[in-house]
Amino acid sequence: VTLLYRRTRKEMPANVMEIDAADEEGIKMEFLAAPVRVNADANGRVESIECLRMELGEPDDSGRRRPVKIEGSEYTIKCDWIISAIGQEPDLDGVEDDENIKVTRWNTIEANEKTFQTDRPGVFSGGDVLTGPADAVDAIAAGRIAARAIDRFIRTGIVQPLAERFESKRHNFHDIKIEDLPEVVPSERHKMPEMPAAERIKSFEEVECGFTDEMAKSESMRCAECGCDAGLSCLLQDYATEYGVDQQRFIGEFNRYKVDTRHPFIKIDSNKCILCGRCVSVCSEILNVSALGFVNRGFKTIVKPAMEKALQETNCVSCGNCIDVCPTGTLVERMPIRRSGPWIMEPQYNVCNYCSVGCNVTLNVKTEDIFFVTGAPPDSGPNNGELCVRGRFGYQHYLDGSRLKTPMVRKGGKLVETSWEEALKVAITGLKKVTDDHSNDHVMVSASPKMTNEELYLAGRLGRAAIGTNNISSFHALQNEADYHALDQMIGSTASSISEEEVRNADIYIFLGGNPSIENPVLGWQLKRRLKEGAEAIVINSAEIDLVKYANVWADTRRGTATTLLKGVIGKLIANGTVNESFIKDRTANYDQIKAEFANVAVDEISSVTGVSTDKIEQIAKLLTDNSKKVVAFYNIDSRIDRASDDLQALTTLLMLIGKIGVEGSGLALTSSQCNTTGQRLAGFDNRLLPGGATLDNAKQVDEVGSLWQIDMNALIKNSGTNLSRKIREDKIRAAIIFGENPAKDDRYRSFIDNLEFKVVSDMFDTETVQMADVFLPMAGYLECEGNLTNWSGLMQKTNPIGEPSSGKTNIELLCALMTMLGHKMGPKKFEELASEIKLLADEAGASLNGKFATTDGKAHFVLFAGQVMATTARVESVLEIDARIAARMSEIKA
């Protein structure tokens, strides 16, 4: 094969790769040669082709030098076939006679290059019919621009070009050099594997063999990411486009900064900073933190931490709210995915699944496995757009590739992947063997307080109705050793008695133990701002937490003596006669025994035990005597930082004495470190509670649930009992189904889990407990399932799935499958039916305490408490893998 071309190789319009491939395959190329005549033999068959030698003259209209023939240079090439490949032109059938559509001499259509409208109104043209032979991307771009123009034409009758978006280009400042990209490591382009030339000339098989997975990944990583992470959300770019800014008008001296990527979650590119100060304001004025500030003066001013510190070395709380307010790409998230875009994302509102505040978040979704989190609109949710480090960055564990998505069963001592059908069958067989060998009461079901109301409700039904045991609880609750039933006798339920709106309008706050700014950060920031506005506060804590500097009184008790201190305050109020007598008379019972117990409390002795001066005790009592002020007491039931056994009962007793619980504007705010502790109570996933949140002594609710589930609840409760911790200690639990918890991470439960005869574990990650399982069932993430999460105040919020479960089953489907295979006839199976059922039971049980008490007589009952000095261990291993993972990431910041 000989290829004739009338210009040089340099001017050939073909792709260089195609030219090289032709050369490799042995095609002879005759450059500066032009065919002029075809010669045929007597039979009319081609015999040869006559050519002329050419030389390049002046450039033509295309910009290429025009070939000029050399006189007397004729020569002949013998040949068998001649294939003419001298260009293409559009087929204009249908429009060639239309006088309103102009055509060029190359037989292409003329159109406006900014709107692609032809001379005929309403007719638009793009692609090869306009440009002649060109790349597909040119046609795609033309289609996009024309589509915008067509849309505007249809809606308004006006054809207007798409406004060009302002683009900041570095070469406007100076020519790009290799020194400008010090972080970019040079890498060679991978050569596409091809069939050897000697083989491919024999057939029409595909020549390119394709990249291997490793080569494709490596090639994709060569991209230097020249685009801006905020390229589709930059307010500066929006305004520059709107006002038609010409960047070259403002070219001059400029600063050059190294991009700071030392923080594990936040990237700072000061080259893009416009010194608007939004990040500084949100940090100092809203969050009461000063991690960022203006450094230097004049043209050298820069926003960054002081003293050349890395952001994580300051008092930065890593909330990332500065990212939300940054109008450019200066402050952006370090994404858990290799390429951070920018991509056009679809906003999807959801609820954070970490603590009990129930913050609303915006999931910016490209695909099910490419998304990131920003704050929800400021007018939504209890957080008003703010997020803490867990809410903003805690989602990254879903994208790090560590999810387990396939069921497994233990064979030959090892967990091996299997089908859902086999895994469920093995699980049921193993559970039935334990119940046959022992009894139903030798099985327990545990579930994470991060599961939704509906999932927890079904987990309880699995244990009580399908298996026949009351051994249902969360290992988080067992391990935490908190009294989740401390107020059941006193006010009918151990729950908050106040709404979020009432909390925001309180006059006096009591903070007992814990640290809201750490355990429930967004709520803590809101309270700080309220205190700065003039609200009063009493902080009872052995540590100087950050709320102390806003407090009227800091009662710095010795650890474990807060209950003793409250006894002193109670005694002082009784002795001074400053209790609310009318409230006590009308709304409470059993006051006489409390009065007799505490009337003669010696404040000096209280001071000696607690280390708090008598003046401070009297000051606290005095602050609480103004009946016109609204009082809210905060207590985090999961906090182990500064807690004794009877703190919550003592605090509630104090509120009852001054008439500040069960009334408008005042009450108890009972928070948690988990997103759905309140939902767990409403779902009845607790061996001392019923669905709806009622206690086991509520005979009407016991019968209601038994009738609904078609079981004898009275017999079940009587036979199984409620002392699960004792059963665990006495080795009376022989099998367990564990949903979303990792008790084997805690030394206290590792041997218990290891000694069980049969273990079914359901989780998203490979945990220590999963490694001990006989059957593993992959859980769906909360971003993959419908459900409700209930925050500390009782606010119920629905989750919005962004995709199908990667495991193939929702958690509701998994729980229903287990119950069906165990022989329990399920009632409602759909999310809506389950939600309605829980709401009905909660309404009957009087689950909401706002303005009332859930006791049988409707009154709050004073109960004597011991008040012994007994502090908890501050820290324990988290049995919730998500919490453990975010804690590990946070340790990177503190390090």
Side-chain angles (χ1 to χ4, degrees), residues 165 228-240 269 272-280 282 303 321-332:
R165 189 161 174 79
C228 175
D229 291 342
L232 298 175
S233 59
C234 178
L235 291 179
L236 178 63
Q237 189 179 30
D238 292 341
Y239 289 132
D269 186 354
K272 299 171 184 175
C273 180
I274 59 173
L275 302 178
C276 66
R278 286 184 173 188
C279 57
V280 177
V282 75
V303 173
N321 289 297
C322 55
I323 295 174
D324 277 351
V325 300
C326 180
T328 67
T330 305
L331 291 159
V332 294

Side-chain angles (χ1 to χ4, degrees), residues 296-321:
N296 303 327
R297 295 185 179 184
F299 184 71
K300 295 295 183 182
T301 302
I302 182 174
V303 173
K304 66 176 183 179
M307 307 301 290
E308 301 299 327
K309 288 184 177 180
L311 188 58
Q312 67 268 32
E313 294 172 358
T314 68
N315 61 345
C316 171
V317 294
S318 302
C319 65
N321 289 297

Side-chain angles (χ1 to χ4, degrees), residues 681-753:
R681 177 176 60 83
L682 291 176
F685 191 79
D686 185 306
N687 61 2
R688 294 169 64 181
L689 295 177
L690 297 165
T695 55
L696 297 184
D697 58 5
N698 188 325
K700 180 181 177 183
Q701 196 82 345
V702 169
D703 292 339
E704 177 76 21
V705 173
S707 174
L708 186 64
W709 290 357
Q710 298 182 344
I711 63 170
D712 188 344
M713 278 292 292
N714 283 295
L716 175 72
I717 294 167
K718 180 180 179 181
N719 295 333
S720 187
T722 60
N723 199 335
L724 180 56
S725 295
R726 181 175 178 179
K727 291 179 181 179
I728 291 174
R729 289 194 305 270
E730 295 179 354
D731 207 25
K732 291 182 179 179
I733 301 296
R734 302 310 309 143
I737 309 177
I738 302 170
F739 293 101
E741 296 194 297
N742 183 21
K745 195 177 187 74
D746 190 320
D747 291 338
R748 291 176 295 176
Y749 294 111
R750 185 175 294 114
S751 59
F752 162 69
I753 299 297

Side-chain angles (χ1 to χ4, degrees), residues 181-202:
L181 306 168
E183 301 88 0
V184 178
V185 179
S187 62
E188 294 296 326
R189 189 171 193 169
H190 288 77
K191 183 174 175 59
M192 173 61 71
E194 295 179 343
M195 184 188 298
E199 295 296 325
R200 64 185 186 233
I201 62 175
K202 299 176 183 178

Side-chain angles (χ1 to χ4, degrees), residues 755-766:
N755 290 331
L756 290 172
E757 294 178 25
F758 192 73
K759 302 170 280 285
V760 179
V761 180
S762 185
D763 211 312
M764 292 191 297
F765 304 103
D766 188 6

